Amino acid sequence: MFRHERLKGTSDASPERALVTGATSGIGRATALRLAGRGATVCLVGRNENAAETLRAQIEDMGCQVLVILADVSDGHAVERAVRSFAEAYGGIDTVVASAGIAPKGNATETSIEDWKQCISINLDSVFYLARFAMPELIKTQGTFTIISSDAGMWGDSDFAAYIASKHGVHGLMKSLALDYGRYGVRTNAVCPGFVETPMADKLLANLSPEKLEALRKAVPLARFAQPEDVADVVAHLSSDAARHTNGTEYRLDGGKTCGHYKP
């Protein structure tokens, strides 16, 4: 357990209240578990009911309270209801983590209009909706808003036009949130991983040969992909008092990949 990271003003009697989107898989799931590990009450927002219920049971076994809200984060009204339901149930919100995302493959001429709209809606619009409705709660608690972005927000990449565009948009939004709400004590940051070994990444890499997969790993100076827990640890830090002066940061969690041209 990580109760030594407990947020200022919280206790066993008054635990941190954390809302995580995309909480039923990959980075979101690892983050929900990590925050529960420091005693937080966690709101799991996602679409996979079976996965959500399994995670609920795991968090409850840790001795923490948990609320499951099944919602499509690309629907602004659904996000509003989720935020309101959690805030009303537990008296407010201290921590928000925007982790929902998809990564359709294709350049501009290959990407369908439907795939483009879905990617922008889930990866970018959902973050705006979450900020739109959660910021009033975070202002009350001087809380944190952490976005799971990608190294794709730091540079370009071929064959991922919609994904790259969505993540660059996320970074612009993050900077605006940091500037607009920092004055109220709300800190907004983005975590920017490279490849993370999640179900989404597994799909992207499924058709690669072992040789190509190994080459991708070796292209990272640390010679490995991240684990979801690596990202969750960074979220835990950024949403803690240890990062109390960190606002508007693009935290590169890519093993050094975006430092420059690397020769393995």
Side-chain angles (χ1 to χ4, degrees), residues 72-153:
D72 178 357
V73 295
S74 67
D75 180 343
H77 296 296
V79 173
E80 181 181 16
R81 288 191 295 270
V83 170
R84 184 176 64 248
S85 296
F86 184 49
E88 289 178 353
Y90 292 97
I93 302 174
D94 304 287
T95 303
V96 171
V97 182
S99 183
I102 60 172
K105 192 172 183 180
N107 60 35
T109 55
E110 295 167 343
T111 301
S112 68
I113 292 175
E114 291 74 18
D115 283 348
W116 171 270
K117 288 183 176 180
Q118 184 184 42
C119 184
I120 298 299
S121 183
I122 292 175
N123 291 4
L124 178 56
D125 291 350
S126 70
V127 179
F128 166 73
Y129 299 146
L130 196 55
R132 172 71 177 81
F133 299 114
M135 276 298 172
E137 296 296 332
L138 295 177
I139 288 172
K140 297 174 188 176
T141 60
Q142 294 191 325
T144 64
F145 191 96
T146 307
I147 306 164
I148 306 302
S149 184
S150 168
D151 63 351

Side-chain angles (χ1 to χ4, degrees), residues 1-12:
M1 302 292 280
F2 302 89
R3 295 184 188 274
H4 62 282
E5 294 179 346
R6 194 187 299 282
L7 294 188
K8 186 177 180 180
T10 65
S11 64
D12 282 338

